[in-house]
Amino acid sequence: MLSIVRLLKHLRRFVLVVALGVIAYWGCIYWRNHRFDSAIAEAARRYSLDPALIRAVIWQESRFDPDARGRAGELGLMQVREVAAREWAKAEHIKNIDRNDCLDPATNLLAGSYYLKNASRHYGHADDPIPYALAEYNAGRGNVLKWLTGTASTNSAAFVSQIGFPGTKMYVTSILNRRDYYRR
């Protein structure tokens, strides 16, 4: 009888530790995904973008790691390159921006959102400019221009099917799906 009581006591402790571990895990996931909410909202407001889209790009680019670094010199949450950050800074009349500024979450979100908004303006004639802008964000404008043939020049679904790089096609599709998930 005594050993059953001890066993139940250990089992109760075990269940408590597991439950606390699960709560801590989901708390960390929630914190990781929401600690930049106010900066995302500010970038979305400033550049008239869907916050769910910005959040989806961040998920795809860095999994919400503000210190992420890409192989080609991309930095931060939205994996902004220094050239893109300088373009943003010039447009916003900000002087003396450097590579390290790209790791500041607020700066990175503003520069990345600016770049995404500018890219979307190139495709205002399309039914949905966002897939085009995402492809440009990932593969560059020159590649997007190559894929704008036939109905793909105005039909975003046709455009996505014509993207010539499998990685970029997966990138665009993944972000659009994640955006829809974040909208729920």
Side-chain angles (χ1 to χ4, degrees):
M1 181 72 170
L2 188 57
S3 63
I4 292 175
V5 169
R6 281 172 63 195
L7 180 65
L8 288 175
K9 200 182 240 186
H10 288 296
L11 182 61
R12 192 174 16 185
R13 284 185 188 145
F14 175 75
V15 168
L16 179 62
V17 167
V18 168
L20 288 173
V22 168
I23 290 168
Y25 172 78
W26 285 110
C28 285
I29 296 291
Y30 182 85
W31 174 77
R32 182 190 72 193
N33 289 338
H34 293 282
R35 65 185 165 152
F36 302 110
D37 281 358
S38 62
I40 291 168
E42 171 59 23
R45 184 195 60 72
R46 182 177 285 182
Y47 297 111
S48 301
L49 290 171
D50 181 353
L53 174 65
I54 296 172
R55 188 179 305 286
V57 170
I58 295 168
W59 171 259
Q60 183 67 35
E61 292 287 353
S62 69
R63 298 297 197 264
F64 293 92
D65 177 3
D67 298 316
R69 295 168 190 269
R71 291 184 302 246
E74 311 93 345
L75 297 167
L77 292 168
M78 293 185 77
Q79 291 293 277
V80 173
R81 295 178 104 180
E82 187 176 359
V83 171
R86 287 186 191 281
E87 182 183 318
W88 163 77
K90 183 178 179 184
E92 295 290 336
H93 309 291
I94 298 170
K95 295 184 185 331
N96 301 326
I97 191 164
D98 67 21
R99 181 174 172 77
N100 291 331
D101 293 325
C102 295
L103 290 169
D104 173 68
T107 300
N108 190 280
L109 287 168
L110 290 170
S113 297
Y114 170 84
Y115 187 91
L116 194 57
K117 182 62 175 188
N118 269 0
S120 71
R121 287 184 179 129
H122 297 145
Y123 313 103
H125 60 281
D127 62 336
D128 180 5
I130 297 303
Y132 300 87
L134 291 170
E136 182 174 321
Y137 197 91
N138 181 255
R141 181 152 168 78
N143 287 311
V144 171
L145 293 174
K146 292 177 198 172
W147 303 325
L148 288 178
T149 60
T151 59
S153 65
T154 57
N155 182 298
S156 59
F159 170 75
V160 171
S161 70
Q162 276 189 210
I163 293 175
F165 299 157
T168 299
K169 185 183 291 191
M170 192 166 44
Y171 175 90
V172 170
T173 304
S174 175
I175 290 175
L176 294 175
N177 289 338
R178 176 105 3 211
R179 176 197 62 185
D180 293 344
Y181 169 78
Y182 285 137
R183 283 179 172 172
R184 289 184 241 143

